[in-house]
Amino acid sequence: MLLLTTALLCISVSASPPATYTNPLINQRADPHITKHTDGFYYFTATVPEFDKVILRRATTISGLSSAPETTIWRRKSSGVGSNQVWAPELHYINNKWYIYVALGVANEWRIRAAVLEGTGANPLTATWVERGLVQTNWDTFSLDMTTFVSPNGTRYFVWAQQEPSRTDENSSLLIAAMGSNPWSIRGPAVTISRPTLSWERIGYKVNEGAAVIIRNNKIFLTYSAAATDANYCMGLLTANANADLLNPASWTKSQTPIFVSNADTNQWGPGHNSFTVSEDGSSDVMVFHDRGYKNINGDPLNDPNRRTRVQKLYWKPDGTPDFGIPVADGITPVRLRSAISTGGAGTNGAVYMRFLTSATSGVGSGTGAVSLAETQFRLVSPGLSGGQGTVSLESAVRPGWFLRRYSGNLLRWEARVNSGTWNTEASFLQRDGLLVAEGQEKGVSFEAVDRTGNFVSFGADGRSLTLVNGGQEVQRATFYLE
């Protein structure tokens, strides 16, 4: 059996509370877009497998969207624009009206263009919708996946995917333009800010599409998707300074490797076409995306209906850039466990995280190379493997099926699950309020061993091992904060 230890990861961070959800959120809904409006509702739209309508849902929580009733606000037409594909709608609120940007096709033709619907009314599910037509861009060529955002200087921009006439061997590039006199027009010629020139962007199809923008830490981060819509589908990242000239292609820096890809360990394939929203308390960023739960597809991936909507918390690195991690396994999303042990004095934002380590000499959990976000994420499985009320088991996010277990005396390590009564008990804990209670500090949690009353999970004195300690003596070491 592969033996495991646990280590502390010390980094400087800006912490935010956990944002936990259960995946998949909505089955058979691709290209998902979730936005939280000022009325307190989350609004959801996405591509349906039939490619024949625009749907909306709303709920007061992200999880509530899973079972929220669905309203069709626009249907495929019998002829002309909108008589074939209906792809990737996005809902935005601009100048006191609702707008849906959606790619529409024409029956019996390969003619897909970005179009706009306008809705009047407080609730977009019951609003009066009218067609505002196609967005007139530089060229009358294949275009789709239009999104919009407002820069810190107050300018509203559109970003979309379009085939450039001079690059017909490629499917689509990313273009940007400022909004024109209304939300269905652009001002001036658009400029190209990204083309599918990297090898991972050109697998199956040569694609840059599905842009989404999040603005944090004086930077504009623009994600996009690339390659064919099978297991090769993945996400890339463009970055610009918040005060830069966004219409100058030189303002954008492109990551040379994908930032979100398929993961065999978690069985998530082809993650992409994302959007961003915020958690219910507004304190955490949440990424919304689609993927599939299997790798192999028969025929054209677009004809496979099982892309499903997923959500997971977006984390941030100490340098202020986003950390997308991995597409986590189905079920409840994981959290990070930050120890109450401080690595710095007053006024610092030092943090100590539990980390998944194994005795392997290379690869995940080996302790070599840069630590990944997923190595510091763990799922709190409730009830725990022992099945007792109030119990939890801690499962690795990077290696699903590996749990924290008391294997000898008070010593703990991560092991692949062995489904026996004794093993399950040794891998189960009672989640308690944090033993460390200090005025003005956040509320923590502590984990008491099911089979050793009064003994709690703690970091050892070496800063690497995990052990059980007497909760009355080591309250700080036995207290964690969830992120």
Side-chain angles (χ1 to χ4, degrees):
M1 175 180 290
L2 186 64
L3 303 181
L4 293 98
T5 60
T6 302
L8 301 179
L9 172 66
C10 304
I11 60 177
S12 177
V13 298
S14 177
S16 63
T20 53
Y21 306 99
T22 299
N23 282 314
L25 182 71
I26 305 174
N27 287 317
Q28 294 196 338
R29 292 294 180 265
D31 312 321
H33 187 264
I34 296 176
T35 183
K36 188 177 186 181
H37 189 48
T38 55
D39 61 2
F41 281 93
Y42 287 93
Y43 291 93
F44 168 85
T45 188
T47 302
V48 303
E50 300 80 10
F51 304 149
D52 65 348
K53 56 183 173 286
V54 176
I55 56 91
L56 292 175
R57 301 185 186 195
R58 78 169 186 167
T60 55
T61 65
I62 293 174
S63 296
L65 291 169
S66 178
S67 58
E70 204 163 77
T71 298
T72 298
I73 61 98
W74 191 89
R75 292 186 180 275
R76 178 191 288 161
K77 299 162 69 173
S78 60
S79 62
V81 174
S83 58
N84 201 345
Q85 297 91 344
V86 182
W87 285 354
E90 285 197 10
L91 177 70
H92 296 271
Y93 193 71
I94 305 171
N95 299 337
N96 299 314
K97 289 191 176 183
W98 297 99
Y99 291 90
I100 288 177
Y101 297 90
V102 60
L104 299 179
V106 177
N108 303 314
E109 296 184 47
W110 181 252
R111 184 177 178 81
I112 297 172
R113 303 290 186 269
V116 185
L117 309 175
E118 181 186 72
T120 302
N123 178 356
L125 279 70
T126 58
T128 300
W129 288 92
V130 296
E131 298 174 12
R132 288 301 186 184
L134 302 181
V135 180
Q136 301 303 313
T137 63
N138 295 11
W139 319 287
D140 182 22
T141 61
F142 173 75
S143 61
L144 71 167
D145 295 351
M146 181 164 281
T147 191
T148 181
F149 70 97
V150 177
S151 72
N153 69 9
T155 301
R156 179 173 291 279
Y157 292 92
F158 292 125
V159 179
W160 66 96
Q162 186 162 13
Q163 186 177 57
E164 299 181 78
S166 62
R167 303 175 73 91
T168 55
D169 63 320
E170 296 172 350
N171 300 92
S172 60
S173 303
L174 293 180
L175 285 83
I176 188 171
M179 188 180 85
S181 59
N182 54 57
W184 55 92
S185 66
I186 66 172
R187 182 172 72 242
V191 297
T192 302
I193 56 174
S194 181
R195 296 183 173 103
T197 57
L198 302 174
S199 60
W200 51 270
E201 300 174 306
R202 300 167 69 89
I203 302 175
Y205 291 97
K206 302 168 184 176
V207 166
N208 281 182
E209 66 180 20
V213 171
I214 186 168
I215 303 173
R216 296 286 185 272
N217 307 319
N218 296 314
K219 298 281 188 180
I220 297 174
F221 302 102
L222 187 153
T223 56
Y224 65 94
S225 296
T229 57
D230 54 17
N232 295 298
Y233 206 54
C234 59
M235 285 169 47
L237 180 67
L238 301 176
T239 304
N241 290 323
N243 60 355
D245 176 6
L246 302 184
L247 299 180
N248 180 355
S251 297
W252 296 92
T253 300
K254 185 174 187 174
S255 297
Q256 296 301 292
T257 56
I259 48 87
F260 203 58
V261 300
S262 294
N263 189 287
D265 289 325
T266 62
N267 198 36
Q268 307 301 317
W269 304 96
H273 203 120
N274 76 292
S275 58
F276 298 104
T277 189
V278 295
S279 61
E280 285 75 3
D281 63 4
S283 61
S284 297
D285 294 309
V286 176
M287 186 169 71
V288 187
F289 62 99
H290 75 235
D291 73 5
R292 291 185 179 90
Y294 49 86
K295 180 179 182 179
N296 297 320
I297 298 171
N298 293 322
D300 189 335
L302 282 177
N303 295 329
D304 181 288
N306 293 318
R307 292 178 292 176
R308 66 267 176 90
T309 296
R310 304 176 67 82
V311 293
Q312 59 189 62
K313 179 178 173 179
L314 178 66
Y315 289 82
W316 295 90
K317 299 177 183 178
D319 65 0
T321 60
D323 195 336
F324 297 90
I326 62 174
V328 299
D330 287 359
I332 192 169
T333 53
V335 299
R336 302 180 89 184
L337 296 170
R338 174 167 49 89
S339 173
I341 301 170
S342 173
T343 61
T348 70
N349 63 346
V352 179
Y353 288 99
M354 186 182 295
R355 179 184 176 185
F356 178 83
L357 285 177
T358 77
S359 59
T361 57
S362 63
V364 172
S366 65
T368 61
V371 63
S372 68
L373 169 64
E375 289 177 287
T376 67
Q377 289 180 291
F378 304 94
R379 193 166 82 164
L380 302 183
V381 178
S382 177
L385 298 180
S386 67
Q389 183 177 2
T391 62
V392 297
S393 293
L394 279 66
E395 181 182 15
S396 168
V398 74
R399 282 290 168 83
W402 291 71
F403 292 85
L404 183 65
R405 172 182 173 248
R406 184 183 65 79
Y407 72 99
S408 177
N410 281 344
L411 299 179
L412 304 171
R413 68 186 179 197
W414 302 93
E415 295 181 359
R417 183 182 182 183
V418 176
N419 193 15
S420 73
T422 299
W423 199 98
N424 288 341
T425 297
E426 292 168 345
S428 296
F429 306 88
L430 293 163
Q431 183 172 324
R432 308 293 195 188
D433 289 341
L435 298 179
L436 179 64
V437 179
E439 186 177 355
Q441 285 194 358
E442 61 189 304
K443 185 178 179 180
V445 297
S446 295
F447 300 99
E448 182 180 11
V450 165
D451 58 350
R452 295 220 167 182
T453 302
N455 288 269
F456 292 78
V457 176
S458 166
F459 284 111
D462 61 1
R464 291 183 61 86
S465 62
L466 268 182
T467 186
L468 294 177
V469 297
N470 186 299
Q473 299 174 356
E474 294 282 358
V475 296
Q476 185 178 30
R477 288 186 177 274
T479 301
F480 299 86
Y481 303 104
L482 305 182
E483 294 182 8

